[in-house]
Amino acid sequence: MVTGGTGFIGSHLVETLVKQGRTVRCLVIKASNTAHLKKLNVELVYGDILDKESLKKAVKNVSVVYHLAAKVRPFKVIHSLKEFSSLYHKINVIGTKNLAEVCLINGIQKFIYYSSISAVGLGMNLTEESLCNPVTEYGKSKLEAERFLLNLFKNKKFPVLIIRP
């Protein structure tokens, strides 16, 4: 199951999975342009990462979840830093928590989280051991979601893989 399958990276991931002969289900919101996904003959489940009931349907009988859905940039005018931060937190942190919690209950085998290099921040010669110091609200939200997932792994053996493309 793929979240964010209508996005730039997600659409390429879905194409690759289909070419590999994998059965693909995509969680999409009603407002999404799904024309490309329909051409790939993937199963579409309409829902929202903020709605746990729709997530239960999306992950039913799924073994691997690729979580790419995120708020990368706002599509409306933002009037304050607090509003900006809240928007990223809502989608990137709360949405990720909702999905991970539903996946934990459903016993998925692998949860692949597409984070961002923005979670680390700026620097030269960055590695996996580099201290994280995100400088944007987006990066801060991605790091917070990563920390939640790592905590879930440590405490409940949640099968997570975090990628920072």
Side-chain angles (χ1 to χ4, degrees):
M1 196 273 291
V2 177
T3 69
T6 58
F8 179 74
I9 297 173
S11 64
H12 290 287
L13 172 64
V14 171
E15 283 179 18
T16 300
L17 293 171
V18 168
K19 285 179 186 173
Q20 292 174 348
R22 309 271 301 272
T23 301
V24 179
R25 176 183 298 161
C26 291
L27 175 71
V28 294
I29 58 175
K30 294 259 187 215
S32 295
N33 179 352
T34 58
H36 181 68
L37 295 177
K38 287 178 181 176
K39 289 178 189 174
L40 295 173
N41 203 27
V42 301
E43 179 186 356
L44 301 180
V45 175
Y46 290 92
D48 191 305
I49 59 173
L50 298 175
D51 174 16
K52 281 191 174 183
E53 288 305 311
S54 69
L55 296 177
K56 289 175 186 176
K57 180 180 176 186
V59 302
K60 186 177 181 180
N61 300 320
V62 165
S63 57
V64 179
V65 170
Y66 298 85
H67 179 39
L68 286 81
K71 179 58 72 181
V72 179
R73 64 188 70 78
F75 292 106
K76 64 177 189 169
V77 175
I78 302 294
H79 300 286
S80 70
L81 182 59
K82 183 178 179 183
E83 185 181 1
F84 204 63
S85 179
S86 176
L87 177 66
Y88 284 115
H89 182 81
K90 181 178 172 184
I91 303 299
N92 299 345
V93 179
I94 302 301
T96 297
K97 286 180 179 182
N98 287 345
L99 182 59
E101 288 168 355
V102 169
C103 287
L104 185 65
I105 292 166
N106 281 277
I108 59 121
Q109 295 172 7
K110 182 65 70 178
F111 186 95
I112 302 167
Y113 177 62
Y114 282 69
S115 184
S116 171
I117 194 66
S118 295
V120 179
L122 303 173
M124 299 292 290
N125 303 315
L126 297 172
T127 70
E128 289 83 356
E129 288 79 31
S130 295
L131 292 177
C132 294
N133 188 25
V135 296
T136 65
E137 296 306 308
Y138 170 72
K140 291 173 188 175
S141 70
K142 296 301 268 187
L143 180 60
E144 186 177 346
E146 284 183 18
R147 288 181 172 157
F148 172 81
L149 293 170
L150 288 172
N151 191 48
L152 208 54
F153 167 76
K154 289 175 187 170
N155 294 318
K156 301 199 180 197
K157 302 297 180 221
F158 185 64
V160 65
L161 172 67
I162 297 171
I163 299 171
R164 290 179 179 154

